[in-house]
Amino acid sequence: MKEVLIIYYSQTGQLFDILKNIASTISVEKVNISYCEIIPKKKFPFPWKQEEFYGAFPETFLQIPTPLEAIPSEILQKKYDLVILGYTTWYLTPSIPINSFLKSEEAKLLLANTPVVTVSASRNMWIMAQEKVKKLLIANHAKLVGNIALVDRNLNHISVITIVHWLMGGKKTKMFGIFPKPGVSDKDIEAASRFGVPIKEALLQNEYSNLQQNLLDVGAVKVDPSLIATDIRGNMVFTKWANHLIKKEGEERKKWLVYFKYYLLFAIWLIAPIVFIVFLLTYIPMYRKIQRDKAYYSSVALKQD
């Protein structure tokens, strides 16, 4: 009997639906699937309030752990043949609960010498968050063998509007009855079941060397090269903001979080389009590098610093 553990934190429930659909085609007589929800001791609200949403930024981006509820002993006492790690992206970074788990002693126990498949659901930028997850998995002596990254397929500025409607309103509905539904589409969530087929085959054969390529063949990852530079640049700017904000307390912190909010709006609506135009203008001379980057970020490899 093969033992599979699905570890996740799904604030809205969208990621959990994706994971269940993937699991539906892994589950056979020879496979037992267990679920482990990561639960922070101090719950993050959903729907979000603006102050709490922006207030989570410094600790999220700086990957500062928060205390978690204990993982059940029956999970910790079992050795798993495969772990599927489901996470969402907050501020170009894995969410605080998942980051906290990956920095815990429980993670070392569960992930050491274990194949791991990561599954993410995000608005559109997930590349640098996945790089951070890769490093945390290596620190836990885990082996990343597969990655699935699902995104909101709508245009960037449309998805900005709809995601705010969802996160602040709490309902995944069409804003004003006109805008598309936010997040990963219902069609893509349902179709996630196809990813379970190559995962099951690799699991039963205990052979993961071709798994990522097999996942790519069924559309598990689509790297948008126009967002790579935006993601990298965003991380550079966020580093300065987070290091500044983390030092602030009380009313001073609240004041600076308002400044950060307006900077974020400025960056999304004005800077991002400029970055995209630069990408288009340099596409031909940078073509080979763009193709190398697409191949790398589609893989499970980690660049050496």
Side-chain angles (χ1 to χ4, degrees):
M1 179 70 74
K2 295 289 187 179
E3 295 287 345
V4 177
L5 177 63
I6 298 178
I7 301 173
Y8 70 96
Y9 174 76
S10 182
Q11 192 180 29
T12 67
Q14 172 182 262
L15 177 63
F16 184 58
D17 289 340
I18 292 168
L19 293 168
K20 285 192 299 181
N21 287 337
I22 294 172
S24 69
T25 47
I26 299 175
S27 182
V28 293
E29 288 184 4
K30 297 179 181 179
V31 178
N32 181 55
I33 299 178
S34 303
Y35 288 84
C36 176
E37 181 182 7
I38 301 303
I39 304 174
K41 288 189 174 181
K42 182 181 179 182
K43 306 296 189 296
F44 290 94
F46 185 75
W48 286 93
K49 294 180 180 178
Q50 282 204 32
E51 184 176 323
E52 293 166 319
F53 178 79
Y54 293 105
F57 163 69
E59 287 75 13
T60 298
F61 188 78
L62 295 175
Q63 295 182 266
I64 298 172
T66 191
L68 303 173
E69 299 290 350
I71 291 176
S73 59
E74 59 267 25
I75 290 177
L76 293 174
Q77 291 169 2
K78 190 181 291 186
K79 177 60 181 174
Y80 294 93
D81 299 287
L82 175 69
V83 170
I84 298 176
L85 177 68
Y87 74 95
T88 52
T89 301
W90 295 4
Y91 295 107
L92 312 181
T93 306
S95 70
I96 289 177
I98 288 297
N99 173 71
S100 302
F101 164 72
L102 289 172
K103 291 187 173 182
S104 70
E105 292 302 314
E106 288 86 351
K108 290 183 174 65
L109 184 62
L110 288 169
L111 301 180
N113 304 312
T114 302
V116 175
V117 173
T118 49
V119 180
S120 64
S122 59
R123 187 175 71 84
N124 58 9
M125 285 191 282
W126 56 270
I127 284 173
M128 295 310 294
Q130 179 68 4
E131 292 299 286
K132 295 168 188 178
V133 169
K134 287 179 183 178
K135 292 179 180 180
L136 291 168
L137 289 174
I138 287 175
N140 285 303
H141 304 289
K143 183 179 181 182
L144 180 62
V145 296
N147 178 45
I148 299 164
L150 298 182
V151 299
D152 185 332
R153 292 177 183 267
N154 292 301
L155 294 173
N156 183 42
H157 288 101
I158 295 294
S159 67
V160 169
I161 295 169
T162 59
I163 200 72
V164 170
H165 165 72
W166 184 19
L167 295 183
M168 301 300 174
K171 294 183 180 180
K172 191 177 181 180
T173 56
K174 292 185 176 182
M175 185 177 177
F176 305 133
I178 301 172
F179 284 85
K181 289 178 69 174
V184 178
S185 71
D186 294 342
K187 181 180 178 181
D188 284 347
I189 292 173
E190 184 176 350
S193 59
R194 71 189 187 277
F195 303 131
V197 176
I199 294 173
K200 177 183 67 178
E201 292 173 354
L203 172 68
L204 295 177
Q205 297 171 15
N206 195 32
E207 176 53 63
Y208 297 95
S209 58
N210 295 320
L211 176 57
Q212 184 59 15
Q213 184 56 56
N214 292 337
L215 286 170
L216 292 177
D217 290 343
V218 291
V221 174
K222 287 184 172 60
V223 174
D224 183 342
S226 69
L227 293 176
I228 295 174
T230 304
D231 204 336
I232 293 171
R233 178 62 182 168
N235 270 266
M236 294 170 61
V237 176
F238 276 8
T239 298
K240 296 178 181 179
W241 271 105
N243 284 322
H244 178 74
L245 285 164
I246 201 69
K247 300 172 185 176
K248 305 299 180 181
E249 296 180 356
E251 292 302 316
E252 187 74 4
R253 175 170 168 135
K254 289 181 181 179
K255 180 182 72 175
W256 277 99
L257 283 170
V258 171
Y259 296 154
F260 171 70
K261 169 187 171 181
Y262 286 111
Y263 165 76
L264 200 58
L265 293 172
F266 174 76
I268 291 170
W269 291 98
L270 293 176
I271 297 178
I274 294 172
V275 173
F276 179 68
I277 291 169
V278 171
F279 166 78
L280 292 177
L281 293 174
T282 59
Y283 183 82
I284 293 177
M286 298 293 290
Y287 180 78
R288 289 186 178 181
K289 182 180 185 304
I290 288 169
Q291 295 308 308
R292 289 196 303 271
D293 285 346
K294 284 181 66 176
Y296 167 70
Y297 290 118
S298 297
S299 75
V300 291
L302 176 64
K303 288 179 180 177
Q304 299 300 315
D305 293 331

